[in-house]
Amino acid sequence: MEIRKRHTAIIGGGAAGFFTAINLKEMVPEMEVTIFEAASRVLRKVEISGGGRCNCTNSFAEVTDLSQVYPRGHRLLKRLFKTFDHQDAYNWFERHGVKLTTQDDQCVFPASQDSHSIINCFLHASRELGIEIRTNQRINTLSELTDYDFIVVTTGGGSITSLTQSTDSEIIKPVPSLFTFNINDHHLQSLMGTVVEQATAFIPGTKLRATGPLLITHWGMSGPAILRLSSYAARELAERNYRMPLNVNWTSTNESETIQELRDIISIHSQKQITTVRPFALPARLWSYLAEKCLGARAKYCWKDINQKELNRLTNTLTNDQHAIEGRAVFKEEFVTCGGVSLQAINPSTLESKNKQGLYFAGEVLDIDGITGGFNFQAAWTTAYTVASAISNQLRNNV
């Protein structure tokens, strides 16, 4: 059955915008689709993501509940994943000529290890499908698009703009969600470059914690454990102006397991200097720092000289090392935001605004965000596909 030609405006030339446009044109070839991008170049965030490699999704093999990887929006995504999930995204890219590879950490990248594989795929598909791309064209209010039947906002996170406000949707104030921590400890900073493969960072007195590789930097701490914690604690950190206590369990074991490890060392290496025998194979410089922080000059003594009180202090330092967050640092240019259009303001099945018929939202402009590891791109693919399907279904049902 022939469908009357309609026009769709997509505001935002990023991942969600292009994915919406391409899928919509594939579903409804008669649709006229125009992407409006305020900047001079499209897909900038895709280009720099993953260090220029584009961690485009995740295998989800280690995810037992979406709340583990989506601090906000996991209930909505659980519903939407039934139609388009990570496996669908993987198949979509391979079907469109982008061969993918899954790393040991379950992150999925283009086999080329180059984000331009994704970008070139999107640009090629857009040309083939006849999608119009207008750069250097900022849309400030929806009133500028009265000639369009459907409008899809995919402007990403960040500040609340006049455009977002003009949608009459409830807006949850965006705040940064993936960032590293500034810690003003010169002794710690002197260990820059040190990586602990399995540490647990947590905010004391809360349930906010994250486990994974932790990197010590010249400004404080980074790595997946810190980035995940910053995501989980995004709201709390913003409310406290990014000044909160931070504790680290350097071994990711409990106190009883840790003290047993130290007793085993005392039994086997009693004559050796404390700083020369590293529990849990911790990096040498980090162990020296922790031992001296806890024991002072006695860190130069032998293991046989340690008393029970010092053993308890060492255990506490290894499992509950105390620091203070004194600000945030942007993770290159890849930070994500939590906040945006409230999920209460949209139809959960179609992502259409409850206030304006024909207005849809996809990607990070919604109050959905994930931890590092390809989860934010997956949310973009899923929400974009949902919107494209919703518009397609609406047209077919109204013919």
Side-chain angles (χ1 to χ4, degrees), residues 6-215:
R6 300 291 183 89
H7 298 79
T8 296
I10 296 178
I11 309 172
F18 271 84
F19 208 71
T20 304
I22 293 167
N23 281 286
L24 181 55
K25 280 290 284 186
E26 289 181 341
M27 295 173 189
V28 189
E30 300 86 356
M31 177 74 73
E32 295 287 344
V33 178
T34 304
I35 296 174
F36 294 90
E37 170 56 47
S40 60
R41 294 173 59 191
V42 294
L43 300 166
R44 282 282 293 139
K45 191 170 182 180
V46 173
E47 183 176 35
I48 64 174
S49 68
R53 297 188 298 140
C54 189
N55 181 188
C56 57
T57 187
N58 192 282
S59 76
F60 284 72
E62 298 176 354
V63 179
T64 57
D65 190 294
L66 290 184
S67 63
Q68 296 171 314
V69 293
Y70 292 106
R72 287 149 291 271
H74 58 91
R75 291 184 181 87
L76 176 62
L77 287 176
K78 183 177 181 180
R79 171 200 290 254
L80 301 183
F81 273 19
K82 294 175 182 177
T83 301
F84 193 90
D85 65 5
H86 57 283
Q87 190 59 57
D88 295 309
Y90 194 106
N91 294 338
W92 190 97
F93 281 107
E94 294 231 321
R95 191 168 64 249
H96 285 77
V98 181
K99 185 172 177 54
L100 301 178
T101 184
T102 304
Q103 298 185 162
D104 291 341
D105 62 2
Q106 308 308 316
C107 292
V108 178
F109 289 86
S112 66
Q113 300 294 306
D114 187 348
S115 62
H116 288 93
S117 294
I118 303 288
I119 294 171
N120 293 339
C121 166
F122 285 169
L123 294 179
H124 174 75
S126 297
R127 285 192 299 269
E128 291 291 307
L129 293 166
I131 296 168
E132 183 178 4
I133 303 170
R134 299 185 188 179
T135 55
N136 294 310
Q137 189 156 350
R138 181 179 298 278
I139 304 298
N140 295 307
T141 66
L142 297 181
S143 61
E144 299 174 43
L145 301 171
T146 54
D147 293 337
Y148 290 85
D149 301 285
F150 304 98
I151 299 172
V152 186
V153 179
T154 62
T155 50
S159 61
I160 299 172
T161 65
S162 58
L163 169 65
T164 314
Q165 292 172 323
S166 77
T167 66
D168 292 337
S169 300
E170 179 187 352
I171 305 296
I172 298 173
K173 182 181 177 181
V175 298
S177 177
L178 282 180
F179 49 87
T180 61
F181 295 160
N182 290 335
I183 297 173
N184 188 21
D185 179 341
H186 298 301
H187 294 294
L188 177 73
Q189 293 168 359
S190 69
L191 306 179
M192 62 176 290
T194 298
V195 176
V196 178
E197 292 298 335
Q198 192 75 352
T200 299
F202 58 100
I203 307 296
T206 75
K207 295 181 179 180
L208 300 167
R209 61 179 54 232
T211 298
L214 189 152
L215 168 67

